[in-house]
Short mmCIF file of all heavy atoms in Angstrom, two decimals:
data_model
loop_
_atom_site.label_atom_id
_atom_site.label_comp_id
_atom_site.label_asym_id
_atom_site.label_seq_id
_atom_site.Cartn_x
_atom_site.Cartn_y
_atom_site.Cartn_z
N PHE A 108 168.85 55.47 -95.51
CA PHE A 108 168.03 55.15 -94.35
C PHE A 108 167.36 56.45 -93.91
O PHE A 108 167.80 57.53 -94.15
CB PHE A 108 168.82 54.48 -93.24
CG PHE A 108 169.54 55.41 -92.25
CD1 PHE A 108 169.10 55.53 -90.91
CD2 PHE A 108 170.67 56.13 -92.66
CE1 PHE A 108 169.76 56.35 -90.06
CE2 PHE A 108 171.31 56.93 -91.79
CZ PHE A 108 170.87 57.07 -90.49
N PHE A 109 166.20 56.21 -93.24
CA PHE A 109 165.27 57.32 -92.98
C PHE A 109 164.90 57.30 -91.47
O PHE A 109 163.91 56.69 -91.09
CB PHE A 109 164.01 57.18 -93.82
CG PHE A 109 164.28 57.17 -95.30
CD1 PHE A 109 164.71 56.04 -95.97
CD2 PHE A 109 164.08 58.34 -96.10
CE1 PHE A 109 164.96 55.99 -97.32
CE2 PHE A 109 164.31 58.34 -97.45
CZ PHE A 109 164.78 57.14 -98.05
N PRO A 110 165.65 57.98 -90.69
CA PRO A 110 165.37 58.00 -89.20
C PRO A 110 164.00 58.55 -88.96
O PRO A 110 163.46 59.34 -89.74
CB PRO A 110 166.49 58.90 -88.65
CG PRO A 110 167.53 58.97 -89.71
CD PRO A 110 166.88 58.77 -91.00
N GLY A 111 163.44 58.17 -87.82
CA GLY A 111 162.12 58.65 -87.45
C GLY A 111 162.01 60.10 -87.25
O GLY A 111 160.95 60.72 -87.30
N CYS A 112 163.21 60.84 -87.04
CA CYS A 112 163.19 62.28 -86.85
C CYS A 112 162.99 62.95 -88.21
O CYS A 112 162.84 64.21 -88.20
CB CYS A 112 164.44 62.74 -86.13
SG CYS A 112 165.99 62.27 -86.96
N TYR A 113 163.11 62.24 -89.32
CA TYR A 113 162.87 62.90 -90.62
C TYR A 113 161.36 63.18 -90.72
O TYR A 113 160.55 62.30 -90.56
CB TYR A 113 163.26 61.95 -91.77
CG TYR A 113 164.75 61.90 -92.10
CD1 TYR A 113 165.69 62.43 -91.21
CD2 TYR A 113 165.18 61.32 -93.25
CE1 TYR A 113 167.03 62.38 -91.53
CE2 TYR A 113 166.56 61.25 -93.58
CZ TYR A 113 167.47 61.77 -92.71
OH TYR A 113 168.78 61.71 -92.98
N GLN A 114 161.01 64.43 -91.07
CA GLN A 114 159.60 64.79 -91.19
C GLN A 114 159.31 65.33 -92.63
O GLN A 114 158.20 65.03 -93.14
CB GLN A 114 159.24 65.86 -90.18
CG GLN A 114 159.49 65.44 -88.72
CD GLN A 114 159.26 66.58 -87.75
OE1 GLN A 114 158.18 66.85 -87.33
NE2 GLN A 114 160.34 67.32 -87.43
N PRO A 117 159.25 62.17 -95.49
CA PRO A 117 157.99 61.38 -95.53
C PRO A 117 156.78 62.14 -95.99
O PRO A 117 155.93 61.63 -96.62
CB PRO A 117 157.86 60.87 -94.08
CG PRO A 117 159.28 60.93 -93.51
CD PRO A 117 159.90 62.12 -94.18
N ALA A 259 168.07 64.31 -81.91
CA ALA A 259 166.91 63.93 -82.71
C ALA A 259 166.80 62.39 -82.82
O ALA A 259 165.68 61.83 -82.74
CB ALA A 259 167.01 64.54 -84.12
N LEU A 260 167.92 61.71 -82.99
CA LEU A 260 167.91 60.21 -83.09
C LEU A 260 167.52 59.60 -81.78
O LEU A 260 166.75 58.67 -81.77
CB LEU A 260 169.28 59.74 -83.51
CG LEU A 260 169.71 60.08 -84.92
CD1 LEU A 260 171.14 59.68 -85.14
CD2 LEU A 260 168.81 59.47 -85.97
N LEU A 262 165.56 60.97 -79.40
CA LEU A 262 164.17 61.20 -79.20
C LEU A 262 163.25 60.39 -80.15
O LEU A 262 162.23 59.94 -79.74
CB LEU A 262 163.84 62.70 -79.37
CG LEU A 262 164.47 63.62 -78.34
CD1 LEU A 262 164.22 65.08 -78.65
CD2 LEU A 262 163.95 63.27 -76.91
N ALA A 263 163.75 60.16 -81.38
CA ALA A 263 163.00 59.29 -82.25
C ALA A 263 162.89 57.91 -81.69
O ALA A 263 161.88 57.21 -81.90
CB ALA A 263 163.63 59.28 -83.65
N GLY A 264 163.95 57.46 -81.03
CA GLY A 264 163.95 56.12 -80.46
C GLY A 264 162.98 55.90 -79.33
O GLY A 264 162.63 54.78 -78.98
N VAL A 268 157.54 60.99 -79.52
CA VAL A 268 157.55 62.36 -80.05
C VAL A 268 156.57 62.57 -81.17
O VAL A 268 156.61 61.84 -82.16
CB VAL A 268 158.99 62.68 -80.56
CG1 VAL A 268 158.99 64.15 -81.18
CG2 VAL A 268 159.99 62.61 -79.44
N PRO A 269 155.64 63.47 -81.01
CA PRO A 269 154.66 63.75 -82.10
C PRO A 269 155.44 64.17 -83.38
O PRO A 269 156.28 65.00 -83.32
CB PRO A 269 153.84 64.89 -81.59
CG PRO A 269 153.99 64.83 -80.07
CD PRO A 269 155.38 64.33 -79.83
N GLY A 270 155.13 63.54 -84.47
CA GLY A 270 155.74 63.87 -85.71
C GLY A 270 156.96 63.04 -86.06
O GLY A 270 157.38 62.99 -87.19
N TYR A 271 157.54 62.37 -85.03
CA TYR A 271 158.65 61.47 -85.31
C TYR A 271 158.12 60.08 -85.42
O TYR A 271 158.00 59.31 -84.42
CB TYR A 271 159.67 61.50 -84.13
CG TYR A 271 160.56 62.75 -84.04
CD1 TYR A 271 160.31 63.83 -84.86
CD2 TYR A 271 161.62 62.80 -83.22
CE1 TYR A 271 161.11 64.95 -84.79
CE2 TYR A 271 162.41 63.93 -83.10
CZ TYR A 271 162.17 65.01 -83.89
OH TYR A 271 162.99 66.16 -83.83
N GLN A 272 157.73 59.71 -86.64
CA GLN A 272 157.00 58.47 -86.85
C GLN A 272 157.97 57.46 -87.47
O GLN A 272 158.95 57.83 -88.14
CB GLN A 272 155.87 58.68 -87.80
CG GLN A 272 154.83 59.67 -87.31
CD GLN A 272 154.24 59.30 -85.95
OE1 GLN A 272 153.87 58.15 -85.75
NE2 GLN A 272 154.11 60.25 -85.05
N GLY A 273 157.66 56.18 -87.26
CA GLY A 273 158.44 55.15 -87.94
C GLY A 273 159.65 54.63 -87.16
O GLY A 273 160.48 53.86 -87.67
N GLY A 274 159.78 55.00 -85.91
CA GLY A 274 160.90 54.43 -85.08
C GLY A 274 162.21 55.11 -85.37
O GLY A 274 162.28 56.16 -86.03
N VAL A 275 163.29 54.45 -84.90
CA VAL A 275 164.61 54.99 -85.08
C VAL A 275 165.02 54.96 -86.52
O VAL A 275 165.62 55.87 -87.08
CB VAL A 275 165.62 54.25 -84.20
CG1 VAL A 275 167.02 54.70 -84.49
CG2 VAL A 275 165.31 54.44 -82.71
N ASP A 276 164.66 53.86 -87.19
CA ASP A 276 165.30 53.60 -88.49
C ASP A 276 164.27 52.98 -89.43
O ASP A 276 163.57 52.07 -89.11
CB ASP A 276 166.45 52.57 -88.22
CG ASP A 276 167.31 52.30 -89.41
OD1 ASP A 276 167.10 52.93 -90.49
OD2 ASP A 276 168.23 51.48 -89.29
N ARG A 277 164.29 53.47 -90.67
CA ARG A 277 163.50 52.91 -91.75
C ARG A 277 164.35 52.83 -93.01
O ARG A 277 165.29 53.65 -93.19
CB ARG A 277 162.24 53.77 -92.00
CG ARG A 277 161.22 53.77 -90.90
CD ARG A 277 160.19 54.85 -91.12
NE ARG A 277 160.79 56.16 -90.98
CZ ARG A 277 160.15 57.30 -91.08
NH1 ARG A 277 158.82 57.33 -91.35
NH2 ARG A 277 160.78 58.45 -90.95
N GLU A 533 167.03 64.74 -95.77
CA GLU A 533 166.10 65.56 -95.02
C GLU A 533 166.43 67.01 -95.10
O GLU A 533 165.58 67.90 -95.33
CB GLU A 533 166.06 65.11 -93.54
CG GLU A 533 165.16 65.90 -92.62
CD GLU A 533 163.66 65.66 -92.79
OE1 GLU A 533 163.28 64.99 -93.75
OE2 GLU A 533 162.90 66.23 -92.03
#
Side-chain angles (χ1 to χ4, degrees):
F108 87 109
F109 301 80
C112 57
Y113 281 15
Q114 301 174 86
L260 292 173
L262 294 175
V268 176
Y271 286 9
Q272 302 300 316
V275 174
D276 188 3
R277 292 167 294 182
E533 176 74 354

